[in-house]
Amino acid sequence: MNILAIDIGGTKLAAALINADQQISQRQEISTPASSSPQALTTALTQLVSHYQGQAHCVAVASTGIIDNGILTALNPDNLGGLNQFPLQNTLENLTKLPCYLLNDAQAAAWAEYSQLAEQFRHIVFITVSTGVGGGIVINGKLLTGPHAFAGHIGHSLADPNGPRCGCGRTGCVEAIASGRAIAAAAQLELQGKNARQIFAEAQNGNPQAQRLVENSAQSICQLIANLKALLDTECIVLGGSVGLASGYLQQVKQQLSLLPTPFHVPIVAAHYQHDAGLIGAALFAAQAHSVQ
Ligand code: ADP
Ligand code: BMX
Ligand code: ZN
């Protein structure tokens, strides 16, 4: 029987059925509502899950935000149109009448990526550069979630004390410089009003401002990776999210890391599961949790 996997990001909501061999079918994607009203997210989730009735035995969720005790708490509410608290587990259990297993989106993606790197590495960090910047940490083959499910929120570590204010309330977080939203927010003049995807396209066309915005993002992700290497002696960094997976981005991060002293060097790879890492990781986690019940 399949697992219904749902990925809740700041920009898009995805859902799919995942079988025991991690094969995906019936994948759907809709935009994340840009509203602080819990009702708007409930309506979008209702639309998304209605398609899968009777086809799954449990629900696996990878969601942006701190996912603790079934509640989504936004660390950076700006990423969810101002939505701050949302009863995610209750909402989905009421909608589907199925047991529901939840993880943060980057924690879930880290678990998926670790599952297929496990023969090579025991210590990896997954970084998503997407609407925000998220992280999932695997140490000695175990996913680190922490006592309050907060572990891995590396997008909210300091990149520049003189940088922009972050939606989390701190100043100069990595997310406030490197994320898709931050790239768009920093755009001026001819790039004002464009989103990160459009700014990447402009950078490819040779626009110097766009190239500088992409470079600043890659530079702060490179410094974050060096910090993680010093903190955890991690063996491999996996990069995901639509910004992280954008053409040329990984190369820029690698190039900048190569300029730092050798102890900070670490292999960096693109997410094997690309944009589906969250869905697959949530399903793996749910399958493991469901089987021990
Ligand atoms: P989510 O945050 O919902 O998981 P994504 O991983 O798609 O979603 O990240 C959304 C961000 O990525 C947005 O800021 C969007 O503009 C940007 N983006 C989407 N596609 C691309 C692309 N091809 N190149 C660069 N940035 C992109
Ligand atoms: C934010 C934070 C993280 C999340 C990361 C990436 C919120 C709502 N989210 O740092 O929990 O993992 O963004 O999320 O505070 P995404 O939406 O970019 O995938
Ligand atoms: Zn922050």
Side-chain angles (χ1 to χ4, degrees), residues 74-180:
L75 178 60
N76 183 353
D78 292 353
N79 292 1
L80 279 172
L83 183 71
N84 199 342
Q85 293 271 325
F86 185 79
L88 193 50
Q89 182 161 6
N90 265 350
T91 302
L92 284 168
E93 287 184 347
N94 285 339
L95 283 176
T96 62
K97 313 289 179 224
L98 295 172
C100 187
Y101 301 91
L102 305 94
L103 273 181
N104 164 269
D105 54 358
Q107 291 171 350
W111 195 233
E113 295 297 323
Y114 172 71
S115 75
Q116 70 86 47
L117 287 169
E119 278 180 14
Q120 282 168 275
F121 303 119
R122 301 280 294 160
H123 308 265
I124 70 146
V125 178
F126 174 86
I127 303 175
T128 176
V129 191
S130 35
T131 310
V133 173
I137 300 170
V138 174
I139 295 183
N140 208 12
K142 286 195 74 174
L143 181 68
L144 186 74
T145 52
H148 309 102
F150 189 46
H153 276 77
I154 53 183
H156 303 276
S157 51
L158 184 68
D160 176 1
N162 302 311
R165 196 164 165 80
C166 180
C168 76
R170 285 185 88 183
T171 294
C173 291
V174 174
E175 178 162 301
I177 295 167
S179 68

Side-chain angles (χ1 to χ4, degrees), residues 54 206 264:
F264 297 98

